[in-house]
Amino acid sequence: MSGPKKATTHVNQNEGLIFEKSSPGKKAYRLEPLDVPAVDAAKLLGAAVRADVGHLPEVSEIEIIRHFTRLSTWNYGVDTGLYPLGSCTMKYNARVNEVAARIDGLAYAHPYQPERLSQGALRVMKTLADCLLEITGQDAITLQPAAGAHGEMTGILLIRAFLQSQGNPRKKILIPDSAHGTNPATAAICGYAVENLKSNAAGMVDVPSLVAQMNEDVAGLMLTNPNTLGVFEQEIHKIADVLHSKGGLLYMDGANMNALVGKTRPGDFGVDVMHLNLHKTFSTPHGGGGPGSGPVACKKHLEPFLPAPVVCEKPDGTLGFDYNRPKSIGRVRAWYGNFGMHVRALAYILANGPDGLRMTTEDAVLNANYIRKRLEGVYDLPYSTPSMHEVVFSDRKQTAKGLKTGDIAKRLIDYGFHPYTVSFPLIVPGALMIEPTESESKEELDLFIDAMREIARECEQDPQLVLDAPHTTRLSRLDEVLAARKPVLRWKPQAKSAAE
């Protein structure tokens, strides 16, 4: 490899703030003369009238167009190239989803529409719910939660309500050290104490430790499966049995369902309740491009506690909402959830079909293992357990030269790739967590692998080059400590001088 094959220098590396381009009197618009009598705003509004509109930029139309066009090219996203963040699947958003979501009758549906005029939208929600139940092997579902962590909270509230109905909500939630980082916060916000559960040498839940820690104070276990090491919990049946034998429930963080869809179903291996991240597994927009959606599916015994309303089928065959749910934990979201995401997810599911969904799972696992095999030996692999949809290396080989996972990630930017997940999961010191997803071609994976191998060589032969990276970006390496402790989050006008 002679050098980076993807990164290029930007056409404008130092686009200024739009306020810095402002000149008094410039406008990007011109209004037609009034064809009605002018009014005195101060007379009409009194003290509410605003004489000073504040600091707004004054620029021409072409300046606005060029400014925002240049800014838009600074973004790196999954539309630009491989986005190998592990744990948070950055799945390609298929364009057919967007076409479906923009159908007028769906895009402009109003939540106040009568049910008789909303049968199409209700059918979308009912069909999506049925598909997700088939995929997860669960009995009931709510589409209300707005994101993954929101789904976690909903799921734990279901557990709490169920146990409360049995006479005791209990005190603790067990969380393995290989779980997602949001899990402890979710348990705490639902009123539970968090107790850590250690992994064994294979990176899985240590069942003897679980047996020792499980008692009548434990409400449940929040299990990420496959976990954040990309390892499937091979003793999942035993884990479920241990929980159930003491009256606890098994919650599954379904964020990594990209590795299971069409292959196995959580409802069949003992999971009582779980959430799905539609943006991770079913290709709806992610993060700032969202909003998200985190449906929660559960077994029959938790169904009475689902948030109201739920979609139901009436005796005459039409669809509607069931609000008469006396045991419900109540609403967790305004209206019915992020409906636009429901449309996108259903479009993705129907476009793939059962065989296509199974193939996406197989391809995701294949891609992760291709990267694992090609980088094994170049980077340290702390767990030999077979990988699912993501693989976790460590920086142990590179630390001898004073280089850490963050340095390697910043150098990867120079090669035209978004960095992998840095320093997570916490049970792997110096973790490099890589998830390629099923949509990447072998050619793209090879470019990424070449870049990672070249960076490993640089770590040996020219470590300072890596320590000073990135070199080809608009800004070079930032002072992360200063940025964290003294963040500058918005532009502020300078104070006017006394002479003005």
Side-chain angles (χ1 to χ4, degrees):
M1 184 177 182
S2 58
K5 295 180 180 177
K6 294 193 63 167
T8 58
T9 302
H10 194 275
V11 293
N12 188 317
Q13 293 287 299
N14 290 300
E15 179 71 12
L17 300 175
I18 196 165
F19 294 98
E20 296 171 342
K21 300 177 183 300
S22 179
S23 297
K26 282 189 177 179
K27 285 185 178 180
Y29 65 94
R30 180 183 297 160
L31 298 178
E32 290 292 319
L34 283 176
D35 58 359
V36 294
V39 298
D40 184 344
K43 188 175 181 181
L44 286 175
L45 300 175
V49 74
R50 186 173 180 180
D52 183 0
V53 297
H55 294 274
L56 295 175
E58 297 178 79
V59 291
S60 68
E61 179 176 332
I62 191 62
E63 287 174 315
I64 292 175
I65 295 296
R66 287 174 178 167
H67 174 71
F68 286 106
T69 299
R70 288 192 288 254
L71 287 185
S72 72
T73 64
W74 287 3
N75 289 335
Y76 186 99
V78 73
D79 288 347
T80 312
L82 175 63
Y83 209 110
L85 275 181
S87 192
C88 285
T89 307
M90 293 296 169
K91 206 176 178 90
Y92 168 66
N93 304 148
R95 293 304 186 263
V96 67
N97 305 351
E98 301 304 316
V99 172
R102 285 164 173 74
I103 294 172
D104 285 353
L106 299 176
Y108 297 110
H110 193 284
Y112 274 135
Q113 274 181 199
E115 289 179 356
R116 63 184 175 81
L117 299 178
S118 304
Q119 291 299 303
L122 284 163
R123 182 59 62 186
V124 166
M125 296 177 70
K126 179 69 166 59
T127 307
L128 175 63
D130 290 345
C131 289
L132 297 180
L133 290 177
E134 177 63 26
I135 287 168
T136 59
Q138 299 287 358
D139 299 322
I141 193 167
T142 173
L143 303 180
Q144 271 191 34
H150 197 198
E152 290 177 31
M153 185 194 77
T154 304
I156 297 301
L157 287 177
L158 293 181
I159 290 177
R160 189 179 188 90
F162 170 76
L163 293 174
Q164 181 71 60
S165 73
Q166 306 293 305
N168 180 8
R170 305 194 175 192
K171 300 175 181 176
K172 295 186 291 188
I173 294 285
L174 302 180
I175 300 181
D177 53 12
S178 60
H180 272 123
T182 48
N183 291 176
T186 295
I189 205 170
C190 292
Y192 285 111
V194 174
E195 190 168 298
N196 186 257
L197 188 62
K198 295 290 184 185
S199 298
N200 61 22
M204 293 181 278
V205 166
D206 186 63
V207 175
S209 296
L210 174 61
V211 171
Q213 290 179 242
M214 186 61 203
N215 55 51
E216 278 73 16
D217 280 342
V218 175
L221 168 69
M222 293 185 79
L223 186 74
T224 303
N225 193 22
N227 63 30
T228 54
L229 292 169
V231 173
F232 184 79
E233 297 286 350
Q234 296 174 12
E235 297 189 292
I236 184 65
H237 272 296
K238 290 183 182 177
I239 293 170
D241 289 345
V242 172
L243 266 292
H244 295 155
S245 68
K246 298 285 186 182
L249 280 76
L250 178 57
Y251 182 91
M252 190 179 114
D253 184 321
N256 290 340
M257 275 295 289
N258 204 34
L260 303 184
V261 173
K263 305 297 287 186
T264 187
R265 307 194 309 170
D268 295 341
F269 56 62
V271 170
D272 296 288
V273 55
M274 62 179 293
H275 81 266
L276 293 158
N277 299 74
L278 296 188
H279 49 283
K280 290 187 178 184
T281 308
F282 301 102
S283 84
T284 64
H286 192 289
S293 185
V296 172
C298 63
K299 286 295 187 185
K300 194 70 177 175
H301 53 282
L302 294 174
E303 191 270 342
F305 308 98
L306 285 174
V310 296
V311 179
C312 64
E313 190 157 348
K314 298 181 177 180
D316 63 358
T318 62
L319 298 174
F321 289 110
D322 176 14
Y323 291 86
N324 184 22
R325 303 182 61 77
K327 294 184 179 179
S328 169
I329 62 170
R331 283 181 179 273
V332 297
R333 180 80 171 90
W335 305 112
Y336 319 113
N338 290 329
F339 176 69
M341 298 305 113
H342 304 161
V343 177
R344 289 170 171 84
L346 181 60
Y348 177 79
I349 290 171
L350 296 181
N352 279 284
D355 292 341
L357 290 174
R358 188 180 306 112
M359 185 179 292
T360 63
T361 298
E362 292 169 349
D363 287 348
V365 175
L366 177 64
N367 281 359
N369 281 278
Y370 181 68
I371 289 176
R372 170 179 168 145
K373 193 65 180 175
R374 294 285 312 278
L375 293 181
E376 201 170 358
V378 179
Y379 294 91
D380 174 61
L381 189 65
Y383 289 92
S384 59
T385 314
S387 297
M388 296 290 283
H389 63 304
E390 59 192 0
V391 57
V392 179
F393 295 98
S394 87
D395 60 9
R396 194 167 66 87
K397 287 177 177 289
Q398 286 72 36
T399 52
K401 295 287 185 178
L403 295 152
K404 298 181 179 178
T405 177
D407 302 313
I408 298 165
K410 289 184 186 299
R411 181 59 177 151
L412 190 57
I413 297 172
D414 287 333
Y415 283 84
F417 292 101
H418 191 284
Y420 49 79
T421 296
V422 174
S423 303
F424 187 81
L426 299 179
I427 57 173
V428 175
L432 291 71
M433 190 186 204
I434 300 168
E435 180 178 356
T437 77
E438 75 286 348
S439 52
E440 298 301 339
S441 67
K442 178 177 178 297
E443 289 75 16
E444 185 77 3
L445 297 183
D446 284 337
L447 284 173
F448 174 76
I449 291 165
D450 287 348
M452 291 294 290
R453 295 177 73 91
E454 184 67 7
I455 294 170
R457 185 193 65 76
E458 292 170 352
C459 290
E460 289 293 323
Q461 300 179 2
D462 190 2
Q464 196 60 45
L465 177 69
V466 180
L467 285 170
D468 292 340
H471 301 278
T472 60
T473 52
R474 187 176 66 88
L475 299 174
S476 58
R477 185 171 295 210
L478 302 176
D479 186 332
E480 294 180 355
V481 175
L482 184 65
R485 293 183 176 177
K486 296 182 179 180
V488 179
L489 303 179
R490 69 177 182 88
W491 175 84
K492 295 179 182 177
Q494 293 182 345
K496 293 182 179 180
S497 67
E500 290 180 294

